Amino acid sequence: MRLRALLDTDALGLRLLGGEDELDRTVRGVMTTDLRDPSRYLSGGELVLTGLAWRRDAADSEPFIRILVAAGVAALAAGEAELGNIPDDLVVACARHRLPLFAVNESVAFATITEHVVRQVSGERAGDLAAVVDRHRRMMTSGPAGGGPDVVLDLLRTDLDLRAWVLSPTGRLVAGSKSAGPALPAEVCAELAAAHLAATRTGRRGPHRLTRGATTYSLFPVRSSGRLPQGSRDVRATVLSDWLLAVEADAGDWPDERLDLLQGVTQLISVERDRRDAARTVRRRLAQEVLELVQTGAAPAEIAARLRVAAPVLLPGLGAAPHWQVVVARADWEGGDIEGGPVAQSLLEEILVDPLATGPEPSDRIAVAHSGDEAIALVPLPALSAEHDGSESGILADALLAVVRDPLSAGLDGDGRVTLGVSAPVHSAEGLHGALEEARHARRVAAARPGRVCAAGHQELASHVLLLPFVPDDVRRAFTARLLDPLRDYDRRHRAELIPTLEAFLESDGSWTRCAARLHLHVNTLRYRVGRIEQLTSRDLSRLEDKLDFFLALRMS
């Protein structure tokens, strides 16, 4: 706003004492001070309000005005409540340095002037930003993106002084203002994503707010009608894949104009999201073709030909045939008629991204198809070195689960589950069918575990873990009770440690010496305890069959 506009508002009680030629200066903010040197708190363009408590005598005015002019303030407004009339020495100093000077009537509070200036300046900035956002939206909808979401977030920072970030539903940082300072820590991103998902699932209208320590964040959903299945009004169809805009501010008392502006920003980001989704069409088609070939038992040569087509699209410039890994996901909801395949497909496209990577594009090196209620991701891996066979490379189920479990659990909100299965890397078309079955079986293992979000990997399929989840619950309970309840009862009555002794004995492969050393017992004491275990259970721990039964009972208990 211009200084001249201050004189047009009678309620402000301002009277011009000097600087009429400078009234076209722009006011960018307001500050109240009675410090003798307020320079550290000035950034330029302010209207400075002062009660003159800093002035002891006439000699103080000149240095005070020099400080204000050096800081680039727009004008000075001095209150008449303290001294009555404004001192002549202050009027002279302002005239000498061409600094506009206003007198503030004693009946007007500085807070009134501050509120008026802030409202006018913010409104003008919001109007300017709205015009820029509208222009940017037209550019993005009619042609190539004008820099992506980061450009819009930079505008929020520079024009409205708002720090903002775009996050995925798992808390991955998709975009952030380059001038917003340090990036949000990963744990904060995950907490914001979880709060957003939980609030969205309750049906509350955004923006949602979360206070973390002394900072309040407002969370705006970034939605697109293009991703909502036709005819579906159920939020669960997209809640696990929608982005969100997190703003470091409390939007609870924002005027409608500013809320509308932020909604426009989310729409602009949604345009970028839709463009990225459209670009995934080719990759989805490739994955669907490969999946159909694998599931129908096509010849390896035919599958290999499709992989050769897919490799340059997913890993441009690689030059060598990659290894491949298969990830299977399923999203299940209690009640409702929601097609699980598309939900799981969108979810996999979000979570199969390095959580440390930023920007919307790193996920474009995967291809995800869906079949029925499950989604299947074909993930290319760079050619593995000759130093190892790849058993420890690629996507690991535990690492994947650690990234997505907390945010997605909030989005599932008690009536949904997400289960994931991960195969081992394979290096040929012949291995893809086995990898797909391996990933599907791992997902079924994960589904047999408690929890809203579960994952299992190929490493777990080479042990008893493959079998235990599929044993009926009543059989499991009866089996473990028959073997372990006598030992638990004895331990409880005699304060013995037969169960820990049994575990240590099995983990020591039945070695008396190693087990005694591990438990810090004499071998004879260990033999006594093992004998008591055998007596109470009618089993023989020298027999492999009995050792195996005890081992499984402990794992199922």
Side-chain angles (χ1 to χ4, degrees):
M1 65 177 297
R2 305 288 181 182
L3 285 174
R4 192 179 306 278
L6 295 173
L7 295 174
D8 296 335
T9 306
D10 294 337
L12 299 183
L14 294 177
R15 181 163 47 90
L16 183 65
L17 300 181
E20 185 174 358
D21 295 339
E22 304 293 333
L23 291 181
D24 286 328
R25 290 186 181 185
T26 300
V27 179
R28 297 187 177 87
V30 62
M31 176 191 175
T32 300
T33 184
D34 276 311
L35 296 174
R36 296 173 67 87
D37 180 4
S39 57
R40 73 182 70 179
Y41 305 110
L42 298 170
S43 58
E46 294 93 349
L47 170 66
V48 174
L49 305 176
T50 180
L52 300 177
W54 50 267
R55 182 185 179 277
R56 297 189 183 92
D57 54 47
D60 291 335
S61 293
E62 176 68 21
F64 181 77
I65 298 305
R66 281 203 303 267
I67 289 171
L68 298 188
V69 171
V73 303
L76 175 66
E80 296 178 326
E82 182 74 18
L83 301 177
N85 293 329
I86 305 304
D88 291 339
D89 49 272
L90 183 61
V91 176
V92 170
C94 287
R96 181 181 299 118
H97 293 281
R98 302 179 62 84
L99 180 67
L101 175 63
F102 298 92
V104 182
N105 189 281
E106 62 181 353
S107 64
V108 178
F110 282 175
T112 301
I113 301 173
T114 299
E115 182 180 352
H116 176 82
V117 172
V118 169
R119 184 168 59 248
Q120 293 298 316
V121 171
S122 297
E124 291 176 3
R125 286 181 177 175
D128 292 342
L129 180 58
V132 174
V133 168
D134 184 63
R135 183 169 65 252
H136 201 70
R137 181 190 296 113
R138 292 196 300 270
M139 290 173 56
M140 292 179 70
T141 54
S142 61
D150 301 88
V151 173
V152 186
L153 301 185
D154 281 333
L155 291 175
L156 287 175
R157 177 61 171 167
T158 57
D159 285 32
L160 290 185
D161 196 26
L162 292 176
R163 285 165 31 102
W165 304 265
V166 177
L167 304 177
S168 79
T170 60
R172 181 178 68 87
L173 184 63
V174 175
S177 170
K178 296 181 177 61
S179 58
L184 281 179
E187 63 272 15
V188 176
C189 291
E191 188 173 343
L192 293 177
H196 168 75
L197 289 173
T200 301
R201 286 283 287 114
T202 63
R204 285 190 283 133
R205 185 179 178 182
H208 315 300
R209 286 174 289 163
L210 172 69
T211 299
R212 193 179 192 274
T215 305
T216 298
Y217 298 91
S218 296
L219 311 175
F220 295 80
V222 177
R223 296 196 177 102
S224 170
S225 58
R227 291 196 306 280
L228 192 65
Q230 189 170 3
S232 174
R233 294 178 177 271
D234 197 322
V235 69
R236 293 177 294 182
T238 59
V239 68
L240 299 183
S241 58
D242 281 338
W243 288 351
L244 68 137
L245 174 67
V247 180
E248 190 181 86
D250 188 346
D253 56 355
W254 280 6
D256 291 340
E257 293 81 3
R258 178 167 285 208
L259 289 173
D260 289 343
L261 174 59
L262 267 293
Q263 294 297 341
V265 170
T266 64
Q267 292 170 12
L268 188 56
I269 296 169
S270 181
V271 170
E272 182 68 19
R273 170 71 185 271
D274 288 345
R275 177 174 287 108
R276 191 203 64 170
D277 285 349
R280 284 178 167 173
T281 302
V282 174
R283 290 183 293 278
R284 288 176 173 177
R285 186 180 301 121
L286 286 171
Q288 198 72 44
E289 291 175 356
V290 173
L291 174 62
E292 290 175 359
L293 290 173
V294 171
Q295 293 191 126
T296 56
E302 188 177 358
I303 299 174
R306 298 308 302 160
L307 291 178
R308 283 194 294 272
V309 172
V313 176
L314 300 178
L315 287 176
L318 183 65
H323 289 61
W324 301 90
Q325 202 166 3
V326 176
V327 180
V328 173
R330 181 170 174 136
D332 296 293
W333 304 95
E334 297 174 8
D337 185 17
I338 304 171
E339 190 178 358
V343 175
Q345 181 183 46
S346 297
L347 178 60
L348 269 187
E349 287 175 337
E350 285 299 328
I351 68 177
L352 290 178
V353 183
D354 183 348
L356 299 180
T358 60
E361 299 305 319
S363 57
D364 290 345
R365 291 187 172 185
I366 60 171
V368 185
H370 67 82
S371 176
D373 285 333
E374 69 178 6
I376 300 161
L378 186 65
V379 184
L381 306 173
L384 302 175
S385 69
E387 297 176 2
H388 57 74
D389 61 3
S391 60
E392 296 302 324
S393 64
I395 299 169
L396 299 178
D398 288 346
L400 194 63
L401 183 62
V403 172
V404 305
R405 178 169 44 207
D406 290 344
L408 292 186
S409 294
L412 295 166
D413 194 35
D415 68 344
R417 291 198 77 202
V418 168
T419 50
L420 304 163
V422 183
S423 78
V426 295
H427 65 278
S428 66
E430 290 88 345
L432 269 184
H433 186 274
L436 175 58
E437 291 306 313
E438 187 174 59
R440 280 175 166 163
H441 208 111
R443 193 207 64 77
R444 289 194 290 270
V445 170
R449 294 172 175 168
R452 289 290 166 188
V453 184
C454 299
H458 62 92
Q459 301 94 333
E460 300 176 63
L461 303 187
S463 72
H464 62 282
V465 178
L466 176 64
L467 302 174
L468 294 186
F470 306 104
V471 178
D473 288 343
D474 54 347
V475 175
R476 290 159 64 107
R477 285 192 293 268
F479 181 75
T480 57
R482 185 168 60 252
L483 279 177
L484 301 183
D485 280 2
L487 306 183
R488 290 175 177 142
D489 291 341
Y490 188 89
D491 282 346
R492 185 168 50 253
R493 286 186 285 107
H494 298 279
R495 296 185 180 181
E497 296 183 350
L498 297 186
I499 292 288
T501 301
L502 175 61
E503 291 175 333
F505 186 74
L506 295 175
E507 289 171 2
S508 301
D509 297 324
S511 169
W512 297 99
T513 304
R514 289 204 306 271
C515 184
R518 181 172 183 167
L519 295 175
H520 305 290
L521 297 174
H522 191 278
V523 172
N524 289 341
T525 303
L526 175 61
R527 290 184 184 277
Y528 171 79
R529 289 187 181 180
V530 170
R532 179 62 66 183
I533 291 171
E534 293 175 332
Q535 181 184 12
L536 291 170
T537 60
S538 301
R539 297 296 184 111
D540 183 355
L541 278 170
S542 66
R543 298 177 66 247
L544 177 60
E545 295 87 344
D546 288 342
K547 287 181 182 177
L548 181 58
D549 281 350
F550 277 122
F551 178 80
L552 293 176
L554 288 169
R555 290 298 179 271
M556 287 190 292
S557 62

